[in-house]
Amino acid sequence: MAASKKAVLGPLVGAVDQGTSSTRFLVFNSKTAELLSHHQVEIKQEFPREGWVEQDPKEILHSVYECIEKTCEKLGQLNIDISNIKAIGVSNQRETTVVWDKLTGEPLYNAVVWLDLRTQSTVESLSKRIPGNNNFVKSKTGLPLSTYFSAVKLRWLLDNVRKVQKAVEEDRALFGTIDSWLIWSLTGGASGGVHCTDVTNASRTMLFNIHSLEWDKELCEFFEIPMKILPNVRSSSEIYGLMKAGALEGVPISGCLGDQSAALVGQMCFQDGQAKNTYGTGCFLLCNTGRKCVFSEHGLLTTVAYKLGRDKPVYYALEGSVAIAGAVIRWLRDNLGIIKTSEEIEKLAKEVGTSYGCYFVPAFSGLYAPYWEPSARGIICGLTQFTNKCHIAFAALEAVCFQTREILDAMNRDCGIPLSHLQVDGGMTNNKILMQLQADILYIPVVKPSMPETTALGAAMAAGAAEGVGVWSLEPEDLSAVTMERFEPQINAEESEIRYSTWKKAVMKSMGWVTTQSSESGDPSIFCSLPLGFFIVSSMVMLIGARYLSGMP
């Protein structure tokens, strides 16, 4: 039987890719960067109130174990020996916040997801305490004060969840972003698990000084966060601990990068000025600024790009963050029911080839870069009797491209050198209509690697290159050449500009919809004064609208 085994050239490296919508485990050949096998599990999102987004940390952890086991089974079917897997990297949704009990290993509340808006009044009250002439939060962290980041989510948990308060008082509580929760659990949990994070994830908490690369005492005091619950900060590429259970027990976990940094590494953007855009639940454009922090004057974030080894230098990036990209497709599927699968959106959009003057601003969680406007909400405008579900599908795809154009324009102004092309990755890049639209709206070529799993690849590269593992070389001459698909602009520049300026008009109309009370409290009393007839008419309108959009008679 041994003769029938397929030859596997070089050691293998696994990568956990834990995103907002799904968890995956992927295995790569460290010599060729070839993807050998993977498994994916969709993750549930819970919406307990309007603007609240939560996930079950135990479901996330179980999904990781399931993906690892299933991928190992698939490798066995390919006659690939899983003992060739020499290291595991972790890539994760970044700002999502978990607090758990270090004695029992139980989460003390659901994970509060990065998209969550419940902390808006917390942000507003904290903003009043920052001197106008000394925004020490932004100067130390590179981040604006926003519901997006972990510190305010953690502050909310400490203020509102008695189980969390009690665990902190009794010295049982640990805080972490998803990477910390996973690494602690996978390396033993309550029986000696390693409580750590890496510099890229730490830089998204608003508690981390991106210059000194340490938790900042002044920031922790400002947010009233006890430093004892924070994880140890490590580089993005070193051995943190060993897997303590499952098919890969004993394999070192030796790479850790927030998903957007992982994609930057996976796209091999190691040079100052190289940039990539990832299309996932949200959309994230990162530009490597080298070993210097560049502070944006146009609404972008300054963040840690990576630090690939304990003794290696830290690299920084400018980032433009869009809250809703792939999430708008999921919304059309789950909330409106006009598609049954996410892939159908391409077919609908192709049928019409235009939005017919319909514009969709999916500001479900307010607007992120470059506006940072929490009062915005989603709108669909420019509707006529002619508009149908195909036009709305097309407008949804255009919305992703227009939002990317806004952050690219901001990045070009900050960097001073416009990008000549855009490197892209992420699940949505399989949609050819979207990629062509993106090239048309940016009016520069869009370049997509033939293997789009660059987030997982970046985590695998960091893990395989770690000291003590050393199976993946990050020297430029050793990095595998990647084949690319290229999308050139196919419309004239004037048409591109007209569509973009109309989009910006729509964005202005999406702002100022929500007050703090209605976005945060979810208080049903605001509806009590409305007459019953309002609900009957509203329900009929919604039902007729839904039937019309879905093409039902």
Side-chain angles (χ1 to χ4, degrees), residues 48-64:
R49 296 190 191 181
E50 184 195 343
W52 292 29
V53 190
E54 297 180 0
Q55 291 178 325
D56 179 353
K58 289 177 82 170
E59 182 195 348
I60 290 173
L61 178 60
H62 292 151
S63 72
V64 170

Side-chain angles (χ1 to χ4, degrees), residues 82-83 143 149 220 223-224 231 253 295 317 336 349 432 434 440:
I82 62 170
S83 68
L143 311 173
F149 307 107
C220 289
F223 289 105
E224 297 178 74
I253 299 174
F295 281 85
L336 287 196
K432 290 192 185 316
L434 177 73
D440 290 346

